Amino acid sequence: MRRSGRKDELLIAYFGQSLNGSALEWYTRQDPGRWYTWDDLAQAFIGHFQYNLEIVLDRLSLLKLEKKPAESFREFGFRWREQAARVDPSMRESEMVDYFLQTLEPTYFGHLVTSVGKSFNEVVKMGAMIEEGLKSNKILSYSGLKATTQAIQSSTGGVLGKKRREEVATVKASTWNRLPPKPSF
């Protein structure tokens, strides 16, 4: 932005082109006519987004971050790492890996728990590989296994369970009929 030669109109125009997400949304809802100088825009922007500087994340808040359903493992890792960079006091790399692993669902945790001591980037790469394995059914999902097990267990009370009870009753009845007659005295 220094190439603009401190021309306020160019600085304001370039600034708008450099934004994305909520900052771009805020910028497009503003009336540019109220900014006469670059400092006017800068003050308005800082005033609106000051809360980002005041909210200091802690380690506990990192544990509450979850992977969104439509989010890839790599995207989640980058989003999580971005938030970890805001924690005060700063986290060591090994501490980040430990906290990140604790946020993962059981399938990922089970496969990545051995990655303690590796860099955060290596853990994210390994997680992306696990994600591909899950998608291609080369790796079984713990949550999928749990859901299947629960479905099987709950079905014993349904039609399958009724059929099983009927089979047991039939076996009991057939063995009852085969017993030798009781001697009479």
Side-chain angles (χ1 to χ4, degrees), residues 120-180:
F120 187 84
N121 288 338
E122 289 175 309
V123 171
V124 171
K125 286 178 188 177
M126 290 167 54
M129 291 173 66
I130 292 168
E131 181 176 54
E132 288 303 314
L134 289 167
K135 286 179 182 175
S136 64
N137 292 323
K138 292 180 181 177
I139 296 177
L140 295 175
S141 166
Y142 294 152
S143 57
L145 288 172
K146 183 178 177 182
T148 303
T149 303
Q150 288 175 342
I152 291 169
Q153 289 174 346
S154 67
S155 69
T156 58
V159 175
L160 201 64
K162 183 178 179 184
K163 184 176 180 182
R164 177 89 173 123
R165 285 192 298 272
E166 288 172 359
E167 288 173 359
V168 170
T170 304
V171 170
K172 281 185 180 177
S174 65
T175 56
W176 182 264
N177 292 338
R178 284 194 228 144
L179 292 175

Side-chain angles (χ1 to χ4, degrees), residues 41-125:
L41 170 59
Q43 290 304 316
F45 185 81
I46 290 170
H48 183 76
F49 288 101
Q50 182 68 30
Y51 70 90
N52 283 320
L53 299 174
E54 295 167 0
I55 299 173
V56 177
L57 291 178
D58 60 0
R59 284 154 175 76
L60 182 60
S61 60
L62 288 176
L63 292 175
K64 294 178 183 178
L65 289 177
E66 294 180 353
K67 182 179 167 297
K68 297 174 185 174
E71 187 175 41
S72 74
F73 189 87
R74 185 177 295 269
E75 291 168 336
F76 172 61
F78 291 142
R79 182 171 60 87
W80 192 94
R81 178 64 179 89
E82 216 171 46
Q83 296 301 314
R86 297 176 58 203
V87 170
D88 191 33
S90 298
M91 300 174 76
R92 294 182 324 276
E93 180 93 7
S94 61
E95 189 180 15
M96 273 190 271
V97 170
D98 291 345
Y99 275 85
F100 181 66
L101 291 176
Q102 291 178 46
T103 65
L104 301 177
E105 60 183 66
T107 302
Y108 289 100
F109 181 82
H111 287 89
L112 291 173
V113 73
T114 58
S115 65
V116 172
K118 298 199 181 298
S119 74
F120 187 84
N121 288 338
E122 289 175 309
V123 171
V124 171
K125 286 178 188 177

